[in-house]
């Protein structure tokens, strides 16, 4: 498994890895202390309360309520410490910061396919900048996989039909093993890769050297048009299907009266099973299903496009086309128009 320039999987190379290591060491310490205490008591009692002669009758020993409460309550407190400590780590890992860099990973027998917001693609390779929060959105095209980076102390199942996510902040530049930790078929052992952590300047150089054919949002916009979605999802008028502009990250009312959040999972389900949830004011059986026509990579691109036309503060939103004109540019343009109007009024022939 070794490769030149790679880093050891045992070292803690992400911020959450340190917390996991501390909890693990605490668990090992408690295990060692309790094991030593139990075996010490076993041997001590075996010697002290041994049968001393053939006719020896040991004295009757009554139980001690205080002793029984002590050896029940103290281990219970130790277990609670482990529970709440582990729960804190678990919930911290489930809440990526709003400024996290979105990267999309699709598991497929037997490879990891990685997409970046800028449109770059990789297989069995993941490049990330050091000291920046990274959010991975994970999907599977076939069976259950498990995305595992030992040096980051992170492992997350990748389940068909749904999105899972994980986030981390890599703290040490280097190359780290990436495994599939769930048996996924005959070539499971070969479903491996590398996570390369680069300093920020080297990461930007790597991005600029890629062969991207447009950002993910732009690729999603192209697919949106190819599938004919724009004929019903009109952007500036009322169409047969809901207007998607400003939709992502907001709640809207369904036909049954419940309010749902338009997130990645909702958009994915609406593409593959349009009749599962119908928006209030719209009829069912209007939008065809795209099950089997759009793969997981295409779904992620479509979601990126919907994000790009959503609210500006939507997490992970990237512009689909060019950036909007700056306010200063708009003022200059308006001033130029005003000057033309004034010149026309001065030099226009009087009737």
């Amino acid at each position: 498994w070794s490769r030149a320039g790679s880093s050891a999987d045992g070292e803690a190379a992400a911020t959450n890895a340190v917390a996991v290591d501390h909890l693990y060491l605490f668990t090992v310490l408690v295990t060692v202390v309790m094991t030593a205490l139990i075996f010490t008591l076993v041997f001590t009692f075996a010697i002290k309360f041994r049968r001393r002669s053939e006719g020896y009758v040991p004295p009757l020993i009554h139980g001690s309520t205080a002793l029984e409460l002590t050896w029940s309550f103290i281990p219970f407190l130790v277990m609670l410490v482990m529970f709440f400590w582990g729960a804190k780590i678990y919930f911290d890992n489930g809440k990526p910061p709003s400024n996290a860099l979105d990267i999309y990973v699709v598991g497929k027998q037997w490879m990891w396919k990685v997409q970046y917001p800028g449109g770059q693609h990789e297989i069995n390779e993941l490049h990330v900048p050091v000291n920046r929060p990274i959010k991975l959105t994970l999907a599977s095209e076939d069976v259950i996989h498990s995305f595992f980076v030992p040096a980051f102390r992170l492992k997350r199942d990748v389940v068909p039909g749904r999105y899972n996510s994980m986030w981390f902040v890599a703290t040490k530049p280097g190359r780290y093993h990436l495994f599939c930790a769930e048996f996924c078929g005959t070539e499971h052992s070969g479903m491996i890769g590398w996570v390369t952590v680069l300093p920020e300047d080297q990461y930007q150089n790597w991005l600029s050297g890629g062969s991207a054919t447009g950002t993910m949002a732009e690729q999603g916009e192209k697919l949106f048009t190819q599938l004919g979605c724009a004929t019903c999802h009109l952007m500036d008028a009322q169409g047969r299907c809901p207007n998607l502009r400003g939709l992502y990250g907001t709640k809207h009312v369904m036909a049954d009266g419940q309010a749902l959040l338009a997130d990645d999972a909702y958009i994915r389900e609406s593409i593959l099973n349009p009749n599962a949830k119908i928006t209030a004011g719209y009829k069912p059986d209007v939008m065809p299903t795209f099950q089997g026509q759009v793969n997981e990579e295409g779904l992620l691109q479509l979601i990126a496009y919907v994000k790009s036309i959503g609210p500006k503060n939507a997490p992970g939103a990237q512009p689909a086309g060019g950036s909007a004109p700056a306010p200063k540019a708009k003022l200059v343009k308006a001033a130029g128009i005003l000057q033309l109007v004034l010149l026309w009024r001065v030099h226009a022939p009087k009737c």
Side-chain angles (χ1 to χ4, degrees), residues 119-147:
Q120 296 85 356
H121 290 73
E122 290 190 289
I123 293 180
N124 294 333
E125 290 278 351
L126 172 63
H127 286 75
V128 297
V130 70
N131 295 327
R132 278 181 62 186
I134 308 295
K135 177 188 175 185
L136 302 182
T137 299
L138 308 168
S140 172
E141 284 194 4
D142 36 47
V143 299
I144 298 177
H145 301 282
S146 188
F147 190 92

Side-chain angles (χ1 to χ4, degrees), residues 25-43 67 70-79 82:
L25 291 175
F26 177 75
T27 305
V28 171
L29 177 62
V30 170
T31 303
V32 171
V33 171
M34 292 302 296
T35 301
L37 177 62
I38 290 172
F39 276 91
T40 299
L41 293 175
V42 166
F43 286 110
L67 181 61
T70 300
W71 72 42
S72 299
F73 189 66
I74 292 179
F76 174 70
L77 290 180
V78 174
M79 295 303 109
M82 294 181 183

Side-chain angles (χ1 to χ4, degrees), residues 75-235:
F76 174 70
L77 290 180
V78 174
M79 295 303 109
L80 281 183
V81 170
M82 294 181 183
F83 173 79
F84 285 109
W85 194 347
K88 182 181 184 304
I89 295 174
Y90 176 82
F91 287 113
D92 287 346
N93 288 342
K95 296 179 181 179
S98 58
N99 63 337
L101 173 64
D102 283 294
I103 299 177
Y104 304 88
V105 180
V106 176
K108 180 181 179 181
Q109 293 175 317
W110 289 272
M111 67 181 70
W112 298 107
K113 303 166 76 173
V114 181
Q115 293 188 86
Y116 298 84
Q120 296 85 356
H121 290 73
E122 290 190 289
I123 293 180
N124 294 333
E125 290 278 351
L126 172 63
H127 286 75
V128 297
V130 70
N131 295 327
R132 278 181 62 186
I134 308 295
K135 177 188 175 185
L136 302 182
T137 299
L138 308 168
S140 172
E141 284 194 4
D142 36 47
V143 299
I144 298 177
H145 301 282
S146 188
F147 190 92
F148 179 37
V149 184
F152 296 168
R153 313 295 190 261
L154 288 175
K155 182 169 76 72
R156 187 59 55 89
D157 285 347
V158 186
V159 183
R162 59 173 295 181
Y163 291 133
N164 281 341
S165 63
M166 61 193 295
W167 77 279
F168 59 89
V169 177
T171 56
K172 297 180 181 180
R175 285 172 60 81
Y176 305 96
H177 283 110
L178 163 63
F179 298 103
C180 176
E182 186 80 27
F183 181 74
C184 55
T186 56
E187 300 295 328
H188 162 70
S189 61
M191 191 170 174
I192 58 177
W194 293 89
V195 178
T196 303
V197 181
L198 298 172
E200 185 65 37
D201 56 341
Q202 295 182 24
Y203 179 72
Q204 295 301 327
N205 291 337
W206 176 84
L207 283 178
S208 61
S211 57
T213 57
T215 66
M216 282 189 64
E218 291 170 344
Q219 295 175 30
E221 183 180 18
K222 183 178 179 181
L223 185 59
F224 188 83
T225 303
Q226 289 177 348
L227 295 174
C229 307
T231 59
C232 295
H233 291 282
L234 304 181
M235 296 301 171

Side-chain angles (χ1 to χ4, degrees), residues 188-304:
H188 162 70
S189 61
M191 191 170 174
I192 58 177
W194 293 89
V195 178
T196 303
V197 181
L198 298 172
E200 185 65 37
D201 56 341
Q202 295 182 24
Y203 179 72
Q204 295 301 327
N205 291 337
W206 176 84
L207 283 178
S208 61
S211 57
T213 57
T215 66
M216 282 189 64
E218 291 170 344
Q219 295 175 30
E221 183 180 18
K222 183 178 179 181
L223 185 59
F224 188 83
T225 303
Q226 289 177 348
L227 295 174
C229 307
T231 59
C232 295
H233 291 282
L234 304 181
M235 296 301 171
D236 300 313
Q238 185 72 17
R240 301 175 64 200
C241 298
N243 186 342
L244 301 181
R245 189 178 299 280
L247 172 71
Y248 187 87
T250 63
K251 285 190 175 182
H252 60 296
V253 181
M254 313 307 296
D256 59 2
Q258 63 175 328
L260 295 179
L261 178 66
D263 56 5
D264 293 15
Y266 170 79
I267 296 173
R268 183 185 190 279
E269 182 186 47
S270 298
I271 296 172
L272 300 180
N273 187 12
N275 289 326
K277 298 179 178 66
I278 304 297
T279 302
Y282 293 89
K283 298 179 180 180
D285 301 319
V286 174
M287 176 177 168
T289 178
F290 291 95
Q291 183 81 44
Q293 301 181 49
V294 183
N295 60 19
E296 289 294 339
E297 291 177 272
L299 289 171
L300 290 170
Q301 291 168 0
L302 287 170
I303 292 171

Side-chain angles (χ1 to χ4, degrees), residues 325-345:
K328 184 176 179 181
K330 291 183 178 179
L331 291 174
V332 172
K333 183 177 180 181
I337 294 174
L338 181 59
Q339 291 174 355
L340 290 174
V341 172
L342 293 174
L343 287 172
W344 178 83
R345 293 187 63 181

